[in-house]
Amino acid sequence: MKHVIALLCSLAAGAAHAGCGDMAEACQLPDGEYHAVLPEAGGQGAPVVLWLHGAGSNGGNAIRNTDLIDALTARGYAVLTPTASRPFRDGGFSWNFFPGWTGRDETDFLKRAVADAAGRFGTDPQRVLLAGFSAGAFMVSYLACSAPQTFTAYAPVSGGFWRPMPERCNGPVRLFQTHGWEDTTVPLEGRVLRSGSFEQGDVFAGMELWRGANRCTGHAPTSYAETDSFWRRRWEDCATGSALEFALWQGGHSVPEGWADMVLDWFEALAVK
């Protein structure tokens, strides 16, 4: 009986995180949906973390990751978890990120989700961190590369670009890349998928693209730091209005413990004008 009660409590806690603010159902747009959780103080004036799920998932599943969502809302952020548009195996979805693919314009959809949340909840559409995991991180990277002015800053976790990689990215961009040293799903060097149909790119090559977009004067980082379990590298000899950091951690393909506070500290320290 105790196990049943614990399970019911767990499901109730997850349900509290699902929906559209106080409403049980997701927030609806003409061509998609997003889930929204507000900080304890409410949405008025709250900055936003727009969090993109990985392949095979959806916004409802993402919002039930209470460890991550609670860490973000505890800092005063509203969290929006949209659902991607491309069907992916067993009822899940993935993002329409790769250049040349047809389908929903994800950049436009994400912009409209942020605007919709501002209208519904009073969240601040000018303070938005676009972050995502795995396929969500690929989406973050491609959007930041092509249209860095869309949101305030970007934080991909366990994902970067696919080959052939972009020849260049637009800038300046404010971006914090995080990746696991032991990631075998999206290895740092990339890997071939589906017998050569797709090929993940090299994360370090992606960092070179970001340095070029930010017009950094050197290849080597200007500073190094260790924060909890993270090995951090930062480039500061770059264009005004840019920010670039890369954190490695020892684990695999997941969002590491402590990521939320580390990235929000970085985001809040940005000199955004």
Coordinates of all heavy atoms in Angstrom, one line a residue, residues 69-155:
I69 N 13.2 21.3 -14.0 CA 12.2 22.4 -14.0 C 12.2 23.1 -12.7 O 12.2 24.4 -12.7 CB 10.8 21.8 -14.4 CG1 10.8 21.1 -15.7 CG2 9.8 23.0 -14.4 CD1 11.4 21.9 -16.9
D70 N 12.2 22.4 -11.6 CA 12.2 23.0 -10.3 C 13.5 23.9 -10.1 O 13.4 24.9 -9.4 CB 12.1 22.0 -9.2 CG 10.7 21.4 -9.1 OD1 9.8 21.9 -9.8 OD2 10.5 20.4 -8.4
A71 N 14.6 23.4 -10.6 CA 15.8 24.2 -10.4 C 15.8 25.5 -11.2 O 16.3 26.5 -10.7 CB 17.0 23.4 -10.9
L72 N 15.0 25.5 -12.3 CA 14.9 26.7 -13.1 C 13.9 27.7 -12.5 O 14.1 28.9 -12.3 CB 14.5 26.4 -14.5 CG 15.5 25.5 -15.3 CD1 14.9 25.1 -16.6 CD2 16.8 26.3 -15.6
T73 N 12.7 27.1 -12.1 CA 11.7 28.0 -11.5 C 12.1 28.5 -10.2 O 11.7 29.6 -9.8 CB 10.3 27.3 -11.4 OG1 10.5 26.1 -10.6 CG2 9.8 26.9 -12.8
A74 N 12.9 27.8 -9.4 CA 13.4 28.3 -8.1 C 14.2 29.6 -8.3 O 14.3 30.3 -7.3 CB 14.2 27.2 -7.4
R75 N 14.8 29.8 -9.4 CA 15.6 31.0 -9.7 C 14.7 32.1 -10.3 O 15.2 33.1 -10.7 CB 16.7 30.6 -10.7 CG 17.7 29.7 -10.2 CD 18.7 30.4 -9.3 NE 19.5 31.3 -10.0 CZ 20.8 31.1 -10.4 NH1 21.4 30.0 -10.2 NH2 21.4 32.1 -11.1
G76 N 13.4 31.9 -10.3 CA 12.5 32.9 -10.8 C 12.2 32.9 -12.3 O 11.6 33.9 -12.8
Y77 N 12.5 31.8 -13.0 CA 12.3 31.7 -14.4 C 11.0 31.0 -14.7 O 10.6 30.0 -14.0 CB 13.4 31.0 -15.1 CG 14.7 31.8 -15.2 CD1 15.5 32.0 -14.0 CD2 15.1 32.4 -16.3 CE1 16.6 32.7 -14.1 CE2 16.2 33.1 -16.4 CZ 17.0 33.3 -15.3 OH 18.2 34.1 -15.3
A78 N 10.3 31.5 -15.7 CA 9.2 30.7 -16.3 C 9.8 29.7 -17.3 O 10.7 30.1 -18.1 CB 8.2 31.6 -17.0
V79 N 9.3 28.5 -17.3 CA 9.9 27.5 -18.2 C 8.8 27.1 -19.2 O 7.7 26.7 -18.9 CB 10.3 26.2 -17.5 CG1 11.0 25.2 -18.4 CG2 11.3 26.6 -16.4
L80 N 9.2 27.2 -20.5 CA 8.3 26.7 -21.6 C 8.9 25.5 -22.3 O 10.1 25.6 -22.6 CB 8.1 27.9 -22.6 CG 7.8 29.3 -22.1 CD1 7.6 30.2 -23.3 CD2 6.5 29.3 -21.3
T81 N 8.1 24.5 -22.5 CA 8.6 23.3 -23.1 C 7.7 23.0 -24.3 O 6.7 22.3 -24.2 CB 8.7 22.1 -22.2 OG1 7.3 21.8 -21.7 CG2 9.6 22.4 -21.0
P82 N 8.1 23.5 -25.5 CA 7.3 23.2 -26.7 C 7.5 21.8 -27.2 O 8.5 21.1 -26.9 CB 7.8 24.2 -27.7 CG 9.2 24.5 -27.2 CD 9.2 24.4 -25.8
T83 N 6.6 21.3 -28.0 CA 6.7 20.0 -28.7 C 7.2 20.2 -30.1 O 6.7 21.0 -30.8 CB 5.4 19.3 -28.6 OG1 5.0 19.0 -27.3 CG2 5.4 17.9 -29.4
A84 N 8.2 19.4 -30.5 CA 8.7 19.5 -31.8 C 7.7 19.0 -32.9 O 6.6 18.5 -32.5 CB 10.0 18.6 -31.9
S85 N 8.0 19.2 -34.1 CA 7.0 19.0 -35.2 C 7.2 17.7 -36.0 O 6.3 17.2 -36.7 CB 7.1 20.2 -36.2 OG 8.3 20.3 -36.8
R86 N 8.4 17.1 -36.0 CA 8.7 15.9 -36.9 C 8.4 14.6 -36.1 O 9.0 14.4 -35.1 CB 10.1 15.9 -37.3 CG 10.5 17.1 -38.3 CD 12.0 17.0 -38.6 NE 12.3 15.9 -39.4 CZ 12.3 15.8 -40.7 NH1 11.9 16.8 -41.4 NH2 12.7 14.7 -41.4
P87 N 7.5 13.8 -36.6 CA 7.2 12.5 -36.0 C 8.5 11.7 -35.9 O 9.3 11.7 -36.8 CB 6.2 11.8 -36.9 CG 5.6 13.0 -37.6 CD 6.6 14.0 -37.8
F88 N 8.7 11.0 -34.7 CA 9.9 10.3 -34.5 C 9.6 9.0 -33.7 O 9.3 9.0 -32.5 CB 10.9 11.1 -33.7 CG 12.3 10.5 -33.5 CD1 13.3 10.7 -34.4 CD2 12.5 9.7 -32.4 CE1 14.5 10.1 -34.3 CE2 13.8 9.1 -32.2 CZ 14.8 9.3 -33.2
R89 N 9.6 7.9 -34.4 CA 9.3 6.6 -33.7 C 8.1 6.6 -32.8 O 7.6 7.6 -32.4 CB 10.6 6.1 -33.0 CG 11.8 6.0 -33.9 CD 13.1 5.7 -33.0 NE 14.3 5.6 -33.8 CZ 15.5 5.6 -33.3 NH1 15.7 5.5 -32.0 NH2 16.5 5.5 -34.1
D90 N 7.6 5.6 -32.4 CA 6.6 5.3 -31.3 C 5.9 6.5 -30.8 O 5.7 6.6 -29.6 CB 7.3 4.6 -30.2 CG 8.0 3.3 -30.7 OD1 7.5 2.7 -31.6 OD2 9.1 2.9 -30.1
G91 N 5.5 7.4 -31.6 CA 4.7 8.5 -31.1 C 5.4 9.8 -30.6 O 4.7 10.7 -30.2
G92 N 6.7 9.7 -30.6 CA 7.5 10.9 -30.1 C 7.7 11.9 -31.3 O 7.3 11.7 -32.4
F93 N 8.5 12.9 -31.0 CA 8.7 14.0 -32.0 C 10.2 14.4 -31.9 O 10.9 14.2 -30.9 CB 7.8 15.2 -31.7 CG 6.4 14.9 -31.9 CD1 5.6 14.4 -30.9 CD2 5.8 15.0 -33.2 CE1 4.3 14.1 -31.0 CE2 4.4 14.7 -33.4 CZ 3.7 14.3 -32.3
S94 N 10.7 15.0 -33.0 CA 12.0 15.6 -33.1 C 11.9 16.9 -33.8 O 10.9 17.2 -34.4 CB 13.0 14.7 -33.7 OG 14.3 15.2 -33.5
W95 N 13.0 17.7 -33.8 CA 13.0 19.0 -34.3 C 13.4 19.1 -35.8 O 14.2 18.4 -36.3 CB 13.9 19.9 -33.5 CG 13.4 20.0 -32.1 CD1 13.8 19.2 -31.0 CD2 12.4 20.8 -31.6 NE1 13.1 19.5 -29.9 CE2 12.2 20.5 -30.2 CE3 11.6 21.8 -32.1 CZ2 11.3 21.1 -29.4 CZ3 10.7 22.5 -31.3 CH2 10.6 22.1 -30.0
N96 N 12.8 20.0 -36.5 CA 13.0 20.3 -37.9 C 14.2 21.2 -38.0 O 14.0 22.4 -38.5 CB 11.7 20.8 -38.5 CG 11.8 20.8 -40.0 OD1 12.3 19.9 -40.7 ND2 11.2 21.9 -40.7
F97 N 15.4 20.8 -37.7 CA 16.5 21.7 -37.5 C 17.4 21.7 -38.7 O 18.1 22.7 -39.0 CB 17.3 21.3 -36.3 CG 17.9 20.0 -36.3 CD1 19.1 19.7 -37.0 CD2 17.3 19.0 -35.5 CE1 19.6 18.4 -37.0 CE2 17.9 17.7 -35.5 CZ 19.0 17.4 -36.2
F98 N 17.5 20.7 -39.5 CA 18.5 20.6 -40.5 C 18.2 21.4 -41.8 O 17.1 21.3 -42.3 CB 18.8 19.1 -40.9 CG 20.1 18.9 -41.6 CD1 21.3 19.0 -41.0 CD2 20.2 18.5 -43.0 CE1 22.5 18.8 -41.6 CE2 21.4 18.3 -43.6 CZ 22.5 18.5 -42.9
P99 N 19.1 22.2 -42.3 CA 18.8 23.0 -43.5 C 18.3 22.2 -44.7 O 18.9 21.2 -45.0 CB 20.2 23.7 -43.8 CG 20.9 23.8 -42.4 CD 20.4 22.5 -41.7
G100 N 17.3 22.6 -45.3 CA 16.7 21.9 -46.5 C 15.6 21.0 -46.1 O 14.8 20.6 -47.1
W101 N 15.4 20.6 -44.9 CA 14.2 19.8 -44.5 C 13.0 20.7 -44.7 O 13.0 21.9 -44.4 CB 14.3 19.4 -43.1 CG 15.3 18.2 -42.8 CD1 15.9 17.5 -43.8 CD2 15.6 17.7 -41.6 NE1 16.7 16.5 -43.2 CE2 16.5 16.6 -41.8 CE3 15.3 18.0 -40.3 CZ2 17.1 15.9 -40.8 CZ3 15.8 17.2 -39.2 CH2 16.7 16.2 -39.5
T102 N 11.9 20.0 -45.1 CA 10.6 20.7 -45.2 C 9.8 20.5 -43.9 O 10.0 19.6 -43.2 CB 9.8 20.2 -46.4 OG1 9.6 18.8 -46.3 CG2 10.6 20.4 -47.7
G103 N 8.8 21.3 -43.7 CA 8.0 21.2 -42.6 C 7.9 22.5 -41.8 O 8.2 23.6 -42.4
R104 N 7.5 22.5 -40.6 CA 7.3 23.7 -39.8 C 8.5 24.5 -39.6 O 9.6 23.9 -39.4 CB 6.7 23.3 -38.4 CG 6.3 24.5 -37.5 CD 5.6 24.0 -36.2 NE 6.6 23.5 -35.3 CZ 6.3 22.9 -34.1 NH1 5.1 22.8 -33.7 NH2 7.3 22.5 -33.3
D105 N 8.4 25.8 -39.7 CA 9.5 26.7 -39.5 C 9.6 26.8 -37.9 O 8.9 27.5 -37.3 CB 9.2 28.1 -40.1 CG 10.3 29.1 -39.9 OD1 11.1 28.9 -38.9 OD2 10.4 30.1 -40.6
E106 N 10.6 26.0 -37.4 CA 10.7 26.0 -35.9 C 11.1 27.3 -35.3 O 10.6 27.6 -34.2 CB 11.7 24.9 -35.5 CG 11.4 23.5 -36.1 CD 10.3 22.8 -35.4 OE1 9.3 23.4 -34.9 OE2 10.3 21.5 -35.3
T107 N 11.9 28.1 -36.0 CA 12.3 29.4 -35.4 C 11.1 30.3 -35.3 O 10.8 30.9 -34.2 CB 13.3 30.1 -36.3 OG1 14.5 29.2 -36.4 CG2 13.7 31.4 -35.8
D108 N 10.2 30.3 -36.3 CA 9.0 31.1 -36.2 C 8.1 30.6 -35.2 O 7.5 31.4 -34.4 CB 8.3 31.1 -37.6 CG 7.0 31.8 -37.6 OD1 7.0 33.1 -37.5 OD2 5.9 31.2 -37.7
F109 N 7.9 29.3 -35.1 CA 7.1 28.7 -34.0 C 7.6 29.0 -32.6 O 6.7 29.4 -31.8 CB 7.0 27.2 -34.2 CG 6.3 26.5 -33.1 CD1 4.9 26.5 -33.0 CD2 7.0 25.7 -32.2 CE1 4.3 25.9 -31.9 CE2 6.4 25.1 -31.1 CZ 5.0 25.1 -31.0
L110 N 8.9 28.9 -32.4 CA 9.4 29.2 -31.1 C 9.2 30.7 -30.7 O 8.9 31.0 -29.6 CB 10.9 28.8 -31.0 CG 11.1 27.3 -31.1 CD1 12.6 27.0 -31.2 CD2 10.4 26.5 -30.0
K111 N 9.4 31.6 -31.7 CA 9.1 33.0 -31.4 C 7.7 33.2 -31.1 O 7.4 34.0 -30.1 CB 9.5 33.8 -32.7 CG 11.0 33.9 -33.0 CD 11.3 34.5 -34.3 CE 10.7 35.9 -34.5 NZ 11.1 36.4 -35.9
R112 N 6.8 32.6 -31.7 CA 5.4 32.8 -31.4 C 5.0 32.1 -30.1 O 4.1 32.7 -29.4 CB 4.5 32.2 -32.6 CG 4.5 33.0 -33.8 CD 3.6 32.5 -34.9 NE 4.1 31.3 -35.6 CZ 3.5 30.1 -35.5 NH1 2.5 29.9 -34.7 NH2 4.0 29.1 -36.1
A113 N 5.7 31.1 -29.7 CA 5.4 30.5 -28.4 C 5.8 31.5 -27.3 O 5.1 31.7 -26.3 CB 6.2 29.2 -28.2
V114 N 7.0 32.1 -27.4 CA 7.4 33.1 -26.5 C 6.5 34.3 -26.4 O 6.1 34.8 -25.3 CB 8.9 33.6 -26.8 CG1 9.2 34.8 -26.0 CG2 9.9 32.4 -26.6
A115 N 6.0 34.8 -27.6 CA 5.1 35.9 -27.6 C 3.7 35.5 -27.0 O 3.1 36.3 -26.3 CB 4.9 36.3 -29.1
D116 N 3.3 34.3 -27.2 CA 2.0 33.8 -26.7 C 2.1 33.8 -25.1 O 1.2 34.2 -24.4 CB 1.7 32.4 -27.2 CG 0.4 31.9 -26.8 OD1 -0.7 32.4 -27.3 OD2 0.3 31.1 -25.8
A117 N 3.3 33.3 -24.6 CA 3.4 33.2 -23.2 C 3.5 34.6 -22.6 O 2.9 34.8 -21.5 CB 4.7 32.4 -22.8
A118 N 4.1 35.5 -23.3 CA 4.1 36.9 -22.8 C 2.7 37.5 -22.7 O 2.3 38.2 -21.7 CB 5.0 37.8 -23.7
G119 N 1.8 37.2 -23.7 CA 0.5 37.6 -23.6 C -0.4 36.9 -22.6 O -1.2 37.6 -21.9
R120 N -0.1 35.6 -22.3 CA -0.9 34.9 -21.4 C -0.5 35.2 -19.9 O -1.3 35.3 -19.0 CB -0.7 33.4 -21.6 CG -1.4 32.8 -22.8 CD -1.0 31.3 -22.9 NE -1.5 30.7 -24.1 CZ -2.6 30.0 -24.3 NH1 -3.4 29.9 -23.3 NH2 -2.9 29.5 -25.5
F121 N 0.8 35.2 -19.7 CA 1.4 35.2 -18.3 C 2.1 36.5 -18.0 O 2.5 36.6 -16.8 CB 2.3 34.0 -18.1 CG 1.7 32.7 -18.6 CD1 2.4 31.9 -19.6 CD2 0.6 32.2 -18.0 CE1 1.8 30.7 -20.0 CE2 0.1 30.9 -18.4 CZ 0.7 30.2 -19.4
G122 N 2.4 37.3 -18.9 CA 3.2 38.5 -18.6 C 4.7 38.3 -18.6 O 5.4 39.1 -18.0
T123 N 5.2 37.1 -19.1 CA 6.6 36.9 -19.0 C 7.3 37.8 -20.0 O 6.8 38.4 -20.9 CB 6.9 35.4 -19.5 OG1 6.2 35.2 -20.7 CG2 6.4 34.4 -18.5
D124 N 8.6 38.0 -19.7 CA 9.5 39.0 -20.4 C 10.0 38.4 -21.7 O 10.9 37.5 -21.7 CB 10.6 39.4 -19.5 CG 11.4 40.6 -20.1 OD1 11.2 40.9 -21.3 OD2 12.2 41.1 -19.4
P125 N 9.5 38.8 -22.9 CA 10.0 38.2 -24.2 C 11.4 38.7 -24.6 O 11.9 38.2 -25.5 CB 8.9 38.7 -25.2 CG 8.4 40.0 -24.6 CD 8.5 39.8 -23.1
Q126 N 11.9 39.7 -23.8 CA 13.2 40.2 -24.1 C 14.3 39.5 -23.3 O 15.5 39.8 -23.5 CB 13.3 41.7 -23.9 CG 12.2 42.5 -24.6 CD 12.4 42.3 -26.1 OE1 13.5 42.3 -26.7 NE2 11.2 42.1 -26.8
R127 N 14.0 38.6 -22.4 CA 15.0 37.9 -21.6 C 14.6 36.4 -21.7 O 13.9 35.8 -20.9 CB 14.9 38.3 -20.1 CG 15.5 39.7 -19.9 CD 15.6 39.9 -18.4 NE 14.3 40.0 -17.7 CZ 14.2 39.8 -16.4 NH1 15.2 39.6 -15.6 NH2 12.9 39.9 -15.9
V128 N 15.2 35.8 -22.8 CA 14.8 34.4 -23.1 C 16.1 33.6 -23.4 O 16.9 34.0 -24.2 CB 14.0 34.3 -24.4 CG1 13.7 32.8 -24.7 CG2 12.7 35.1 -24.2
L129 N 16.3 32.6 -22.6 CA 17.4 31.6 -22.8 C 16.8 30.4 -23.5 O 16.0 29.7 -23.0 CB 18.0 31.2 -21.5 CG 19.1 30.1 -21.5 CD1 20.3 30.6 -22.3 CD2 19.5 29.6 -20.1
L130 N 17.3 30.2 -24.8 CA 16.9 29.0 -25.5 C 17.9 27.9 -25.2 O 19.1 28.0 -25.5 CB 16.8 29.3 -27.0 CG 16.5 28.1 -27.9 CD1 15.0 27.6 -27.6 CD2 16.6 28.4 -29.4
A131 N 17.4 26.8 -24.6 CA 18.3 25.7 -24.3 C 17.6 24.4 -24.7 O 16.4 24.3 -24.9 CB 18.5 25.7 -22.7
G132 N 18.4 23.4 -24.8 CA 17.8 22.1 -25.2 C 18.8 21.0 -25.1 O 20.0 21.2 -25.0
F133 N 18.3 19.8 -25.1 CA 19.1 18.5 -24.9 C 19.0 17.7 -26.1 O 18.0 17.4 -26.7 CB 18.5 17.8 -23.7 CG 19.1 16.4 -23.5 CD1 20.4 16.2 -23.2 CD2 18.3 15.3 -23.7 CE1 20.9 14.9 -23.0 CE2 18.8 14.0 -23.6 CZ 20.2 13.8 -23.2
S134 N 20.2 17.2 -26.5 CA 20.3 16.2 -27.6 C 19.8 16.8 -28.9 O 20.3 17.8 -29.4 CB 19.7 14.9 -27.2 OG 20.0 13.8 -28.1
A135 N 18.7 16.2 -29.5 CA 18.1 16.8 -30.7 C 17.6 18.2 -30.4 O 17.7 19.1 -31.3 CB 16.9 15.9 -31.2
G136 N 17.2 18.5 -29.2 CA 16.9 19.9 -28.8 C 18.1 20.8 -28.9 O 18.0 21.9 -29.3
A137 N 19.2 20.2 -28.5 CA 20.5 21.0 -28.6 C 20.9 21.2 -30.1 O 21.4 22.3 -30.4 CB 21.6 20.3 -27.9
F138 N 20.6 20.3 -30.9 CA 20.9 20.5 -32.4 C 20.0 21.7 -32.9 O 20.5 22.6 -33.6 CB 20.6 19.3 -33.2 CG 21.5 18.1 -33.0 CD1 21.1 16.8 -32.7 CD2 22.9 18.3 -33.1 CE1 21.9 15.8 -32.5 CE2 23.8 17.2 -32.9 CZ 23.3 16.0 -32.6
M139 N 18.7 21.7 -32.4 CA 17.8 22.8 -32.8 C 18.4 24.1 -32.3 O 18.4 25.1 -33.0 CB 16.4 22.5 -32.3 CG 15.4 23.5 -32.7 SD 15.0 23.5 -34.5 CE 15.4 25.2 -34.9
V140 N 18.8 24.1 -31.1 CA 19.3 25.4 -30.5 C 20.5 25.8 -31.3 O 20.6 27.0 -31.6 CB 19.7 25.1 -29.0 CG1 20.5 26.3 -28.5 CG2 18.5 24.9 -28.1
S141 N 21.4 24.9 -31.6 CA 22.6 25.3 -32.3 C 22.3 25.9 -33.7 O 22.9 26.9 -34.1 CB 23.5 24.1 -32.5 OG 23.9 23.6 -31.2
Y142 N 21.5 25.2 -34.5 CA 21.2 25.7 -35.8 C 20.4 27.0 -35.8 O 20.7 27.9 -36.6 CB 20.4 24.7 -36.6 CG 21.2 23.6 -37.2 CD1 21.4 22.4 -36.6 CD2 21.9 23.8 -38.4 CE1 22.3 21.4 -37.1 CE2 22.7 22.9 -39.0 CZ 22.9 21.7 -38.3 OH 23.7 20.7 -38.8
L143 N 19.5 27.2 -34.8 CA 18.8 28.5 -34.7 C 19.8 29.6 -34.3 O 19.8 30.7 -34.9 CB 17.7 28.4 -33.7 CG 16.7 29.5 -33.7 CD1 15.4 29.1 -33.1 CD2 17.2 30.8 -32.9
A144 N 20.7 29.3 -33.4 CA 21.7 30.3 -32.9 C 22.6 30.7 -34.1 O 23.1 31.8 -34.2 CB 22.4 29.8 -31.7
C145 N 22.9 29.7 -34.9 CA 23.9 29.9 -36.0 C 23.2 30.8 -37.1 O 23.9 31.7 -37.6 CB 24.3 28.6 -36.6 SG 25.4 28.6 -38.0
S146 N 22.0 30.6 -37.4 CA 21.4 31.3 -38.5 C 20.7 32.6 -38.1 O 20.7 33.6 -38.9 CB 20.3 30.4 -39.2 OG 19.3 30.1 -38.3
A147 N 20.2 32.7 -36.9 CA 19.5 33.8 -36.4 C 19.7 34.1 -35.0 O 18.8 34.0 -34.1 CB 18.0 33.6 -36.7
P148 N 21.0 34.5 -34.6 CA 21.4 34.7 -33.2 C 20.6 35.8 -32.5 O 20.6 35.8 -31.3 CB 22.9 34.9 -33.3 CG 23.1 35.5 -34.7 CD 22.1 34.8 -35.5
Q149 N 20.0 36.7 -33.3 CA 19.3 37.8 -32.6 C 17.9 37.4 -32.2 O 17.2 38.2 -31.5 CB 19.2 39.0 -33.6 CG 18.2 38.8 -34.8 CD 18.6 37.8 -35.9 OE1 19.8 37.4 -35.9 NE2 17.8 37.5 -36.8
T150 N 17.5 36.2 -32.4 CA 16.1 35.8 -32.1 C 15.9 35.8 -30.6 O 14.8 36.3 -30.2 CB 15.8 34.4 -32.7 OG1 16.1 34.3 -34.1 CG2 14.4 34.0 -32.5
F151 N 16.8 35.2 -29.8 CA 16.6 35.2 -28.4 C 17.9 35.7 -27.7 O 18.9 36.0 -28.4 CB 16.3 33.7 -27.9 CG 15.1 33.2 -28.5 CD1 15.2 32.1 -29.4 CD2 13.8 33.7 -28.3 CE1 14.0 31.5 -29.9 CE2 12.7 33.2 -28.8 CZ 12.8 32.1 -29.6
T152 N 17.8 35.9 -26.4 CA 18.9 36.6 -25.7 C 20.2 35.8 -25.7 O 21.3 36.3 -25.9 CB 18.5 36.8 -24.2 OG1 17.2 37.5 -24.2 CG2 19.5 37.7 -23.5
A153 N 20.0 34.5 -25.4 CA 21.2 33.6 -25.4 C 20.8 32.2 -25.6 O 19.6 31.8 -25.6 CB 21.9 33.8 -24.0
Y154 N 21.8 31.3 -25.7 CA 21.6 29.9 -26.1 C 22.5 29.0 -25.3 O 23.6 29.3 -25.0 CB 22.0 29.8 -27.6 CG 21.2 30.7 -28.5 CD1 21.6 32.0 -28.8 CD2 19.9 30.3 -29.0 CE1 20.9 32.9 -29.5 CE2 19.2 31.2 -29.7 CZ 19.6 32.5 -30.0 OH 18.9 33.4 -30.7
A155 N 21.9 27.8 -25.0 CA 22.6 26.8 -24.1 C 22.3 25.4 -24.6 O 21.5 24.7 -24.0 CB 22.2 27.1 -22.7

